[in-house]
Amino acid sequence: SKQNQKYSSKNPIQIMETGFNILKLSLCLSLFVVGSCAQAPAPWTPSNGMRPGTCDHYECPNYKLVEAGYAYEIRMYDAAVWMSAGPISATSMAQATKTGFQRLFSYIQGKNKDNVKMNMTAPVIAQATPGQSAYNVSFYIPKKNQENPPQDNDLHVQSWKPTYVAVRQLGGYVSEDVAKKEAAALMDSLDGTQWVLAIEKSKGKSPAYLVADYNPPSQTTARVNEILVPFTM
């Protein structure tokens, strides 16, 4: 046929070159698509405004999601009262958190001046004391006890005004080295935003950070932690 004559008139080498060029084009298109996907991952928004799963079981402080950015969240927390243990001298943040948790757990079990029992809440937060091997560990007071929290000789009350908080979420157990790296990563993710300017204005270029632990120390899997950097606008 004329169609067969058309192809048979071509040099076999030309036919091979044409096929090779088509193959190269197909391969390039495939690499382009894969490369484009690899260079444009979906933004990491750990909670997308949803509270960590632990808050389905325990009461957590109220906040409003202000912005879910790439590898960070900005939240606006309501005013809240916390009970704090510390400063706790310890060789690590993990050890201090465990010690603080034990003290605070006894407190909510009724071992306080008023013998008042309270429900467990989340998170427990830890903060390093700059330049010292000492930490403050704090427990969120349940809403029904916020106005008149039971007192304790070994603990002290911390009151939070409504405040903005930059947040980064991570799993596992958090060592101080990990916390420092994650805090640095959080600040890097805020680079170029209005938030980093507000943080530097109110807290300086190396702001103090908190580590929020949403699980009891005995839970070894599916752990949820957050790096928190409170600031004012």
Side-chain angles (χ1 to χ4, degrees):
S1 66
K2 291 183 178 180
Q3 186 71 13
N4 290 334
Q5 288 176 358
K6 177 181 177 181
Y7 281 102
S8 63
S9 63
K10 288 189 176 182
N11 189 300
I13 295 178
Q14 289 179 316
I15 295 174
M16 290 177 63
E17 287 180 347
T18 301
F20 182 64
N21 288 334
I22 293 172
L23 180 61
K24 283 201 300 183
L25 178 60
S26 176
L27 179 60
C28 288
L29 286 172
S30 298
L31 290 174
F32 175 78
V33 172
V34 172
S36 298
C37 293
Q39 294 172 11
W44 177 49
T45 51
S47 65
N48 280 323
M50 301 296 289
R51 296 171 182 274
T54 306
C55 293
D56 294 336
H57 310 290
Y58 303 128
E59 185 179 339
C60 291
N62 289 332
Y63 70 82
K64 175 186 176 182
L65 179 65
V66 178
E67 181 180 322
Y70 188 94
Y72 69 87
E73 284 187 353
I74 302 297
R75 301 172 184 169
M76 180 67 175
Y77 277 86
D78 293 345
V81 175
W82 300 71
M83 187 61 73
S84 294
I88 298 170
S89 296
T91 56
S92 68
M93 179 176 286
Q95 182 58 52
T97 302
K98 183 177 180 179
T99 300
F101 179 88
Q102 290 170 345
R103 290 186 190 177
L104 292 164
F105 188 73
S106 293
Y107 166 77
I108 67 171
Q109 290 297 302
K111 294 182 180 180
N112 52 64
K113 284 186 176 182
D114 303 317
N115 298 317
V116 173
K117 291 186 177 182
M118 289 168 283
N119 294 328
M120 186 62 196
T121 65
V124 171
I125 59 175
Q127 182 176 14
T129 303
Q132 301 179 33
S133 296
Y135 307 83
N136 281 299
V137 180
S138 303
F139 167 87
Y140 173 65
I141 297 293
K143 291 181 179 65
K144 69 177 184 179
N145 304 106
Q146 287 269 312
E147 291 188 7
N148 189 26
Q151 300 299 300
D152 188 281
N153 288 333
D154 296 327
L155 306 174
H156 56 276
V157 173
Q158 280 192 340
S159 297
W160 282 25
K161 297 178 180 179
T163 186
Y164 285 89
V165 179
V167 182
R168 178 179 176 87
Q169 200 170 88
L170 60 153
Y173 289 95
V174 182
S175 67
E176 194 154 4
D177 286 342
V178 169
K180 288 179 181 178
K181 290 177 182 177
E182 294 293 335
L186 172 59
M187 294 304 296
D188 287 344
S189 71
L190 295 169
D191 193 34
T193 70
Q194 61 173 321
W195 310 115
V196 73
L197 299 176
I199 291 172
E200 290 180 356
K201 185 176 179 180
S202 65
K203 300 294 183 178
K205 289 186 177 295
S206 298
Y209 61 86
L210 311 174
V211 178
D213 189 338
Y214 286 86
N215 311 103
S218 58
Q219 182 175 331
T220 58
T221 60
R223 297 184 60 81
V224 176
N225 309 281
E226 291 178 336
I227 302 297
L228 310 177
V229 176
F231 64 98
T232 55
M233 290 294 288

